[in-house]
Amino acid sequence: MKEWVDGLVEGSSLLQSLPIEVSYFLAMVFFSLVAVGWMAICALFFVWLERKVSARIQSRLGPVYVGGRFGWAQTPADALKLLMKEDLVPESADRLLFNIAPAIAFMATLLTFVAIPIGNGLVIADLDIGIFFILAVSSLGVIGIIMGGWASNSKWSLYGGMRAASQIVSYEIPVALSLIGVVMIAGTLNLVEIGRGQAGGIWNWYLFKSPFLFAAGIVYFIAALAEVNRTPFDLPEAESELVSGYNTEYSGMKFAFFFLAEFANLFVISAVAVVMFLGAWNSFLPWQILPGPIWFLGKVFFLVLVIMWLRWTLPRLRVDQLMHTCWKVLIPISMVLLIGVGVQMWLFPGN
Amino acid sequence: MSAVKKYFSDIYNSMATVLVGMATTGRTAFRKPVTLEYPDVRWELPERYRGILHNRIEDCIGCLACARACPVNCIHIDIVKRGKEEYGVTSDGTKITQWIPRFDIDMSLCMVCGLCTEPCPTECLTMTKEYELAVHDKHDMYLEFALDRDKVMAEKAEAEKKAAKEKAAREKAEKEAAAKKAAAEAEAAGKEGAEPEKPAADAEADGKPGSEEKKPDAS
Amino acid sequence: MPIDPTTRPGDFRTEEMILNMGPQHPSTHGVLRLEVTTDGEVVAAVRPFMGYLHRCFEKHSEHVSWTGVIPYTDRMDYLAAMNNNHGYVIAVERLLGLEVPERAEYIRVIMAELNRIASHLVAFGTFGNDIGAVTPLVWSFRDRELILDIFEKACGARLTYNYYRIGGMSGDLTPDMLEDVRKFLDYFEPRLKEYDDLLSYNKIFLERCAGVGVIPLNMAVNYGLTGPALRGSGMRWDLRRDDPYSIYDRFDFDIPVGEGRKGEIGDCWDRYMVRMWEMAESVKILRQCLAQIPEGEYMHPKTPKSIKPPKGEIYVRVENPRGELGYYLISEGKTSPFRVKVRSCCFTNLAVTPAISQGVMIADLVAIIGSLDIVLGEIDR
Ligand code: SF4
Ligand code: SF4
């Protein structure tokens, strides 16, 4: 971003007359707006997609009316409806926490959008610790969820919040462990660098570089599903058990924030999977036929589709089974895979 | 050893069954949807569909069979006898001997069971294919079928009857007065009479007017 | 607060929480309220409360004609209205000493078995939904719809059928309706396999159901469970075979029981699976019905216009999709019953919940309720 602003300032006499800090500030505002807009578009599109996918799987039509063809305006209309709804705060709720909880959940997701490259160098903040930043920031979201669950002062919300806490914190570990393998092979935490490292055909993608990374990719996928509370790990909001979990008491705009964050998270985990394992913006052929962002978004779209497909297929785990899956299955396996990657690197150092 | 085996077979099973499930749902995703875009596209209703009730009142003979059959008593019928010269016929040739000043069905009570349509001798009470029962005002659910003509005629008949009754009562009273007078005279003359009979006759004259009009919903 | 030095960290006495599950809760299948005492996620005690849907069915029946009771029976177990009708009309016919024409009996069995499938489909779907899978619910409703279409053609309604009459049926099954039934069966049989693929043998589903909410056989008998809940515990007891009514003794079908294939005998999975197998058996019965159905009357020609059974009382029980539904009728020779008492299968089935849900998790409690497949309309009446 800095280079971009510097270049812009150099080319414009108007900006040169301002202090450079003002330019930076303006750029910051601009890019945060870009991030918010991008996130909103992603979330709205995914909500629509989810409806269509679920409808197809269930022999239904899904939204067809609003906006003419395919009901594309259904989700914007729903979002508008949510925004216009009365903003209810339960009487016995902790008002302050209740109000900031959705904002925290939203912010955590928004921050990750800053670091995700959707093309070669097309990233708002090209961080050297990109993947680390995403892991760190995205786990902040759980604080918002616990807060919301606690502040609602409803027993169901509390259960949801507690479940979310244990689940998300536990599943951070396999997520991180399965990503470390890639980081070891790529030798960098920078997402753009990792993406560049996978250029030149499908066999260069890290998923297919080594059998250990292939397995790590699957582990990452499963654990990431749990981290964003998707079926079969949607315990925090298990509607048949906990009514609606941590967001039981939320309505209107605040609920919309949780909802938006949830669906934007879909983009985040898929994008991370794409950057780390599926060759980022590179095509599966040695030469780039279409622009990078199209490849990238196509892959993300495919992963999101799979996630939705899973959601409408699977039942939900129980809390103890969830923990079992994490601590006794995913973490040991990802550790073994990590060692495997290490051994592989040691045996074939050039590769 | 078996625990280890179970551990890995569990992992394998989860993966495999998830894939089987996904294959199933995936296959369904490419089938034709079964739903209709409801308000625009509607499915055809079968012959025997039981929707909202309708009465072709011209054919109703006021036999009250439907009101008696209804388990929730939501059909309210009043009938008034027609004069001989006013008898009508239904489209299937049954004689109509009553005016029906009131034929109301309270659809908000009705459970659309169809029991009322079965005993109807002229098959004038039918269930339509109208299934959108929601209304804005609950009074709209109160269906009134009676014809204005019937109301007028019934009123007239009623008035006539009342007049006749009054006339009869007057005549009776006159007669009784005359009888009383005669009795009093007789009493005065002979100090003996049939006193207990007189009040009984009075009561009968009072009780009769109501018995013409049947109110099935009172049951 | 002073801490007793002898307590170890694990000995902390944590407070129990009382959780009101329902009457408005997504998975209490209606307006059931469960007062759950929980210790964290673990259920310490459950007390079911019901009566939110009480509509005075029994008292009301004393004031309507014998025929007029039929639409009310529809509204008890609204998912199996045909079966409810069936029990009641059999009871009145036995009081009257009325023989029902052959064809009517066949129509009755066809309808009852179709409704058994429809009801089990809802049980399958809602149970899947309780476990967290939404698609089974929609699929089951999709396929149930075809049955409802047949019902709609036959009697004009999709939920409260009021199709059975004392002495027969309210209308005949025309050849094209029978053809519809045949078509449905052809469509439905492959679907059963799909349901199994989607849900029954899914590993997550198995983990959630197998070995959960086990009702041992002696407990099942002691609590008076009937229907799939009893058969899931391993008892081969089905009134269609053990106390045949109507013409069920003519058909050849199996009575599936829980075998504990995946967990223990009498767990949620067994109860669920008994239903799935029973649907296949119903298909068998239906196929035999379609092959055998004779021509003839659908209503006894000598059915009296106004029904006045002679003085007496009778108890008739039939196998509903959810268990044994009993009608106890007393007639005083009047146009309306003197007393109607219903032995509700869901009520007794629900009564076992507190006994088996101690120490399970909240999610298991949902599974247990779902596997018992209760219909509150029948419990409260
Ligand atoms: S449909 Fe049933 S409830 Fe309605 S008026 Fe007729 S008999 Fe009464
Ligand atoms: S049964 Fe038919 S003819 Fe008799 S009163 Fe009712 S609608 Fe009229």
Side-chain angles (χ1 to χ4, degrees), chain C residues 294-313:
Chain C
E295 289 297 317
E297 304 265 0
Y298 62 89
M299 186 86 187
H300 196 286
K302 292 215 190 71
T303 316
K305 264 256 152 55
S306 98
I307 288 159
K308 279 188 200 165
K311 260 189 191 181
E313 50 183 73

Side-chain angles (χ1 to χ4, degrees), chain B residues 53 69-72 74-75 105 109-116 127:
Chain B
L53 281 164
C70 177
V72 294
C74 66
I75 307 183
I105 301 179
L109 293 181
C110 173
M111 55 179 170
V112 207
C113 64
L115 286 181
C116 52
M127 311 209 80

Side-chain angles (χ1 to χ4, degrees), chain A residues 54 57-60 155-156 158-159 163 231-232 234 239-244 311-321, chain C residues 17-20 25-27 38 40-41 129-135 138-139 142 202 204 207-208 212 361-364 366:
Chain A
S54 68
I57 283 177
Q58 300 170 348
S59 304
R60 293 185 287 116
K155 287 168 183 172
W156 300 116
L158 183 61
Y159 270 119
R163 282 182 177 188
T231 313
D234 59 343
E239 87 281 355
S240 62
E241 295 154 28
L242 300 186
V243 189
S244 187
R311 166 161 183 196
W312 296 102
T313 305
L314 293 182
R316 182 187 307 123
L317 283 169
R318 206 169 58 205
V319 185
D320 55 332
Q321 290 157 357
Chain C
M17 187 155 91
I18 291 182
L19 200 60
N20 258 318
H25 186 279
S27 53
T38 56
E41 284 263 356
N129 196 25
D130 288 344
I131 301 296
V134 188
T135 304
V138 187
W139 282 15
R142 175 191 72 195
N202 184 294
I204 298 174
E207 286 289 318
R208 285 293 306 277
V212 169
M361 307 198 101
I362 291 181
D364 292 337
V366 171

Side-chain angles (χ1 to χ4, degrees), chain B residues 55 59-66 77 103 120-122 124-125:
Chain B
N55 190 3
D59 285 354
C60 177
I61 58 170
C63 65
L64 306 181
C66 51
I77 311 176
F103 193 110
C120 181
T122 59
C124 63
L125 188 62

Side-chain angles (χ1 to χ4, degrees), chain C residues 193-238:
Chain C
K193 165 89 177 51
E194 249 176 37
Y195 301 152
D196 282 352
D197 281 349
L198 176 68
L199 195 65
S200 309
Y201 294 101
N202 184 294
K203 181 71 184 154
I204 298 174
F205 183 73
L206 284 175
E207 286 289 318
R208 285 293 306 277
C209 302
V212 169
V214 179
I215 307 179
L217 183 55
N218 61 350
M219 185 195 261
V221 174
N222 287 348
Y223 273 86
L225 299 193
T226 45
L230 176 67
R231 292 194 280 277
S233 295
M235 179 136 153
R236 219 171 275 276
W237 176 259
D238 189 319

Side-chain angles (χ1 to χ4, degrees), chain A residues 59-71:
Chain A
S59 304
R60 293 185 287 116
L61 284 166
V64 282
Y65 275 101
V66 189
R69 289 178 71 71
F70 310 121

